[in-house]
Amino acid sequence: PNACALVQCPPEQPQAMVSLPTVVLVKVVVLMSLLAASLAAPLASTNTEAPPCADVDSVLIQPVIRVAPQCFRQCPQVCRPVAELLELVVGHANSSVLEHTGCSFEQELQCLYGEPSCKVLLVIANSSMDVPETAEELRLRCADLAGNQTTSTSTTSSTT
């Protein structure tokens, strides 16, 4: 028999409420796949150069580096921003915090879009989050975010 016929079942949740756990699940799967890739492909260097992002103190970035080590060699300026964004994702930061943090590193992150070896990172990130797909899209989103802050600040100032 139908269990809802015996007891009162709660109404079905709207789709928006169901999507949040799905997004979190996708992020966990992406992080787990990065970890698996890092275990399968140890970071090896054929010469004595320092490993990418050696100066960044974050265990979260190491699996990502192993997925695209050449990206981090070509774009060392993205090490700290990527590490900080990963910390926020794992800490379940909301999209607004992620956007503001990403835009605070806009200049550094531009390299990801021009370096072919970084493409895999953008594809992985886009599989679970709404990440700009081009350098121009990043620039426009950050300009829009800055414009909204300016408008919000000036509106607040003019009403006081």
Side-chain angles (χ1 to χ4, degrees):
N2 184 350
C4 290
L6 302 174
V7 296
Q8 184 176 356
C9 292
E12 288 189 34
Q13 294 181 346
Q15 185 66 26
M17 293 184 78
V18 175
S19 67
L20 181 60
T22 304
V23 170
V24 172
L25 177 62
V26 169
K27 289 178 184 179
V28 169
V29 169
V30 169
L31 288 171
M32 287 174 49
S33 65
L34 288 173
L35 181 59
S38 75
L39 295 174
L43 189 58
S45 180
T46 57
N47 57 29
T48 58
E49 72 182 55
C53 306
D55 60 331
V56 176
D57 184 28
S58 171
V59 294
L60 295 176
I61 197 167
Q62 295 309 315
V64 180
I65 293 170
R66 287 183 178 95
V67 170
Q70 192 60 29
C71 172
F72 290 95
R73 285 189 189 97
Q74 296 300 315
C75 299
Q77 68 271 33
V78 303
C79 292
R80 194 174 115 231
V82 169
E84 286 192 29
L85 289 166
L86 286 169
E87 295 284 341
L88 291 171
V89 168
V90 170
H92 307 290
N94 65 39
S95 61
S96 176
V97 171
L98 288 169
E99 285 179 352
H100 282 87
T101 302
C103 287
S104 73
F105 291 114
E106 179 184 356
Q107 292 301 318
E108 293 89 343
L109 293 173
Q110 288 288 331
C111 190
L112 291 173
Y113 298 96
E115 174 55 42
S117 63
C118 297
K119 181 71 174 167
V120 67
L121 297 179
L122 295 171
V123 169
I124 291 170
N126 269 312
S127 70
S128 63
M129 295 174 280
D130 183 24
V131 174
E133 293 185 27
T134 65
E136 180 64 9
E137 186 181 346
L138 174 66
R139 187 190 68 72
L140 291 172
R141 283 194 195 184
C142 291
D144 185 47
L145 187 63
N148 287 340
Q149 286 179 329
T150 304
T151 304
S152 172
T153 304
S154 63
T155 304
T156 305
S157 323
S158 65
T159 59
T160 55

